[in-house]
């Protein structure tokens, strides 16, 4: 069953935008620097350098708007930190999650009853009407005036802070790693004065991933194809195949490698059926975005390409939010490693 059209169109639009790498190319690694003032008793004020812009918080935000951007990283991070009650409008959701109860928890969050624009996100007037004190966007796209959004400056004028997630400053997630998920947790921990919670989550994830990587150490690295189920974004049959980004870091930690890493310099490869047929695929990871039956898509591909080792051995796993920026990458590493190296566990 294919996902509904608006959801597919929204994701396709956002993902195509992400592959364009259209921002400035300055290095923004300074974004975790905080002021000495953060050490004061209350934990405030806190200043973050985010995409070269200083954002100061005098107290923990209580009216947060989470923009869509085809992401669930920001809303999942807030929920993982126990901050769901601060959200007045959330536009994110994959419909599925590797974390029990998370998809349902996201669905329950208020949406602010906003009429979304053509990019399936919160337009400027509606945003200002929500009276936020913090707006989260996965990339700078969500604060671009020419896309009809409120700019960071306009938000500042009405007393709202804004935050662009790691690697979002350049609108280029192709360099993203699991460390960026930790940075997002850390930054939210600082903004909301729950750094202890953030560090606990990071430590648990690091420990889990290290244990898995140790189990699969020295094993042969199978070639993995990662793609979204039932989605076409480009001119070819296979235009939602992941080539770069956090997924490659997850595969490496799980003892695998991306079979299409050389097929594109950007996050996604746009591949012909012939190219896919001629490539050895040892294992398949299908990412579901609002698709209730991603396993059916995996089986359809195996029927279409019976020559793949993956098809002969029925080697696949379906995942959703844990394969992307967010607080649950350790679950993806576990699940992928167990698929690739079942005898190691």
């Amino acid at each position: 069953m294919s996902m509904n059209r608006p959801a597919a169109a929204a994701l396709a639009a956002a993902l195509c935008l992400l592959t364009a790498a259209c921002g400035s190319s300055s290095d923004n690694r300074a974004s975790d620097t905080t002021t000495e003032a953060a050490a004061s008793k209350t934990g405030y004020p806190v200043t973050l350098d985010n995409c070269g812009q200083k954002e100061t918080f005098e107290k923990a935000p209580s009216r947060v708007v989470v923009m869509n951007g085809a992401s669930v990283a920001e809303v999942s991070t807030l929920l993982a930190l126990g901050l769901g009650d601060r959200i007045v409008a959330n536009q994110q959701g994959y419909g599925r999650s590797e974390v029990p109860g998370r998809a349902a928890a996201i669905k329950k969050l208020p949406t602010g009853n906003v009429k979304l624009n053509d990019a399936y996100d919160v337009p400027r007037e509606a945003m200002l009407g929500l009276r936020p004190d913090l707006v989260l966007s996965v990339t700078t796209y969500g604060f671009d005036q020419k896309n009809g959004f409120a700019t960071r400056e306009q938000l500042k004028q009405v007393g709202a802070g804004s935050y662009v997630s790691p690697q979002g400053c350049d609108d280029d997630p192709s360099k993203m790693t699991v460390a960026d998920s930790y940075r997002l947790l850390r930054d939210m921990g600082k903004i909301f004065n729950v750094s202890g919670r953030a560090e606990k989550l990071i430590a648990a994830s690091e420990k889990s991933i290290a244990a898995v990587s140790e189990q699969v150490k020295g094993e042969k690295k199978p070639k993995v194809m990662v793609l979204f189920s039932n989605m076409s974004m480009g001119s070819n049959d296979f235009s939602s195949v992941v080539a770069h980004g956090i997924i490659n870091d997850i595969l490496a930690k799980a003892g695998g490698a991306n079979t299409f890493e050389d097929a594109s310099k950007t996050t996604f490869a746009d591949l012909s059926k012939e190219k896919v047929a001629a490539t050895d695929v040892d294992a398949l990871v299908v990412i579901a975005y609002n698709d209730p039956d991603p396993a059916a898509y995996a089986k359809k591909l195996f029927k279409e390409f019976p020559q793949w080792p993956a098809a002969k051995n029925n080697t696949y796993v379906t995942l959703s939010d844990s394969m992307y920026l967010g607080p649950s990458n350790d679950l993806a590493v576990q699940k992928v490693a167990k698929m690739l190296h079942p005898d190691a566990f």
Side-chain angles (χ1 to χ4, degrees):
M1 183 177 159
S2 64
M3 71 167 86
N4 68 55
R5 275 217 139 102
L11 184 70
L15 295 178
C16 290
L17 155 87
L18 292 180
T19 60
C22 44
S24 71
S25 61
S26 61
D27 192 352
N28 296 294
R29 296 197 191 282
S31 78
D32 343 82
T33 57
T34 52
T35 59
E36 294 304 312
S40 73
K41 251 187 215 150
T42 62
Y44 293 98
V46 171
T47 300
L48 262 73
D49 179 1
N50 180 243
C51 296
Q53 188 162 313
K54 289 211 178 329
E55 288 286 334
T56 299
F57 298 89
E58 303 293 340
K59 62 182 196 310
S62 61
R63 295 188 61 80
V64 184
V65 176
V66 184
M67 296 188 77
N68 178 0
S71 174
V72 277
E74 295 71 28
V75 71
S76 300
T77 297
L78 293 181
L79 288 176
L81 289 168
L83 300 167
D85 60 340
R86 313 296 175 90
I87 299 170
V88 292
N90 168 57
Q91 299 305 330
Q92 297 185 348
Y94 272 10
R96 298 173 72 87
S97 174
E98 274 70 75
V99 179
R102 176 158 300 152
I106 290 174
K107 211 173 175 180
K108 275 193 195 130
L109 292 169
T111 62
N113 297 318
V114 171
K115 188 176 186 304
L116 302 179
N117 62 12
D118 291 345
Y120 293 86
D121 227 325
V122 185
R124 180 170 48 248
E125 293 312 313
M127 177 64 79
L128 300 176
L130 288 166
R131 296 180 295 106
D133 55 10
L134 173 63
V135 180
L136 303 180
S137 176
V138 69
T139 67
T140 58
Y141 180 86
F143 299 121
D144 194 329
Q145 193 157 344
K146 66 176 185 287
N147 301 324
F149 299 126
T151 65
R152 299 187 78 175
E153 195 45 55
Q154 286 163 346
L155 288 167
K156 201 170 260 180
Q157 283 163 12
V158 295
S162 54
Y163 177 87
V164 177
S165 289
Q167 302 299 342
C169 302
D170 295 342
D171 297 338
D172 178 14
S174 66
K175 302 179 195 75
M176 198 180 276
T177 66
V178 172
D180 290 309
S181 292
Y182 297 154
R183 203 167 101 204
L184 177 56
L185 271 167
R186 219 163 244 142
D187 284 350
M188 291 303 113
K190 287 167 185 169
I191 290 171
F192 288 92
N193 196 24
V194 290
S195 287
R197 281 184 223 168
E199 292 306 327
K200 215 170 163 179
L201 290 170
I202 292 165
S205 173
E206 284 178 330
K207 190 179 173 186
S208 164
I209 289 173
V212 172
S213 294
E214 188 56 40
Q215 297 275 93
V216 299
K217 208 172 160 183
E219 299 272 350
K220 190 171 174 285
K221 291 183 167 57
K223 296 284 192 189
V224 187
M225 179 185 195
V226 182
L227 81 171
F228 282 84
S229 60
N230 292 306
M231 191 180 305
S232 180
M233 301 185 299
S235 52
N236 285 296
D237 289 338
F238 292 92
S239 53
S240 62
V241 175
V242 185
H244 295 280
I246 195 167
I247 279 162
N248 288 9
D249 191 24
I250 288 168
L251 293 179
K253 287 173 163 59
N258 189 333
T259 191
F260 291 107
E261 190 169 356
D262 298 332
S264 170
K265 283 188 165 60
T266 56
T267 309
F268 288 88
D270 189 2
L271 306 172
S272 67
K273 195 172 167 178
E274 291 70 29
K275 166 84 174 160
V276 170
T279 307
D280 264 350
V281 173
D282 297 319
L284 187 65
V285 174
V286 173
I287 301 175
Y289 174 87
N290 288 323
D291 181 352
D293 195 0
Y297 183 69
K299 287 172 182 138
K300 186 184 120 185
L301 288 181
F302 286 166
K303 220 171 178 174
E304 208 174 334
F305 304 104
Q307 71 279 18
W308 285 349
K312 290 172 184 158
N313 303 314
N314 198 35
T315 309
Y316 76 94
V317 67
T318 64
L319 293 167
S320 55
D321 56 349
S322 65
M323 279 302 270
Y324 260 86
L325 182 71
S328 315
N329 298 148
D330 54 320
L331 299 182
V333 172
Q334 270 172 36
K335 286 177 189 273
V336 173
K338 284 176 179 168
M339 166 188 69
L340 298 179
H341 306 287
D343 299 340
F345 294 92

